[in-house]
Amino acid sequence: MILIVYAHPHPGRSEANRTLLAAVRDLPGVELRSLYDSYPDFSIDVDAEQALLAQARLVVWQHPLYWYGAPALFKLWFELVLVRGWAYGPGGDALRGKDCLWVTTTGATNDAYSAQGKHGHRFEAFVPAFEQTARFCAMNWLAPLIVHGAHAIGREALEDHARRYRLRLQAYLDEHG
Ligand SMILES: Cc1cc2nc3c(=O)[nH]c(=O)nc-3n(C[C@H](O)[C@H](O)[C@H](O)COP(=O)(O)O)c2cc1C
């Protein structure tokens, strides 16, 4: 029902994403696909990935923000898995109507994402590439879950985000299960 496609280059060293995942991975109906665990050599099994996507109703894209985007293996996953004739274009209806939830964590605080801040733009400026990827594949874009200041906010705030993540997925399962 819910497929979490997770891309963290060092899953064992993660604090924020690991905390988020710990809160949701035991939910019945949630399947976790950790790309860096599955494909340490970057050799993605496209058929297996497409089969997992095909059976999901909600697809979660979860990763730490790297250079204002997705870590390298996740970029490759987009390139190889979401292909013309399957995800978009003529006959490319495999993802049509599925829901998509983007979950990401950033090192910078929300303040740093402003015209005057270190990152020069509001965080919203970095969202469209993800949102439009989903929309291009005819998926429904849900309000993303963004955790800013992942290293600074502390354990309690991280746990709070994790609780909210769980509530969102639980509500989705209750509504669609
Ligand atoms: C290569 C690299 C690039 C990064 N790029 C960004 C970035 O563009 N914006 C940002 O806010 N944080 C950036 N960060 C910080 C990570 O997003 C942050 O360490 C991560 O979200 C923390 O989550 P974790 O505890 O699950 O690893 C970057 C970190 C690395 C290692």
Side-chain angles (χ1 to χ4, degrees):
M1 164 70 77
I2 298 179
L3 173 67
I4 302 176
V5 185
Y6 175 53
H8 195 302
H10 308 287
R13 280 192 247 151
S14 161
E15 192 182 354
N17 282 278
R18 193 155 42 149
T19 303
L20 293 174
L21 278 184
V24 298
R25 61 187 308 166
D26 68 314
L27 285 170
V30 169
E31 172 146 10
L32 172 63
R33 186 68 159 172
S34 173
L35 296 183
Y36 281 88
D37 285 316
S38 300
Y39 308 114
D41 57 356
F42 276 49
S43 178
I44 293 175
D45 182 339
V46 173
D47 290 343
E49 294 305 307
Q50 289 181 341
L52 283 170
L53 285 168
Q55 52 152 42
R57 176 150 191 185
L58 167 63
V59 178
V60 178
W61 293 335
Q62 182 179 338
H63 60 91
L65 196 75
Y66 273 20
W67 289 114
Y68 310 108
L73 181 57
F74 210 9
K75 288 289 287 179
L76 185 63
W77 182 92
F78 283 112
E79 287 176 30
L80 298 181
V81 178
L82 307 189
V83 287
R84 182 175 155 87
W86 190 82
Y88 68 93
D93 288 326
L95 301 175
R96 180 172 296 280
K98 295 182 188 294
D99 295 312
C100 182
L101 173 66
W102 184 39
V103 177
T104 197
T105 63
T106 75
T109 59
N110 200 26
D111 292 351
Y113 283 101
S114 66
Q116 288 74 37
K118 196 155 105 181
H119 296 293
H121 302 271
R122 286 163 53 81
F123 187 75
E124 287 72 18
F126 302 102
V127 176
F130 289 93
E131 178 171 352
Q132 191 52 32
T133 298
R135 292 196 191 283
F136 200 75
C137 298
M139 301 173 87
N140 307 312
W141 180 250
L142 306 182
L145 193 158
I146 313 292
V147 177
H148 287 299
H151 305 295
I153 58 176
R155 181 113 295 268
E156 211 170 299
L158 277 179
E159 298 282 0
D160 225 50
H161 284 289
R163 264 192 298 277
R164 259 180 281 147
Y165 188 17
R166 184 181 177 88
L167 285 174
R168 276 195 72 182
L169 295 197
Q170 184 65 68
Y172 190 92
L173 289 165
D174 291 346
E175 194 183 338
H176 301 281

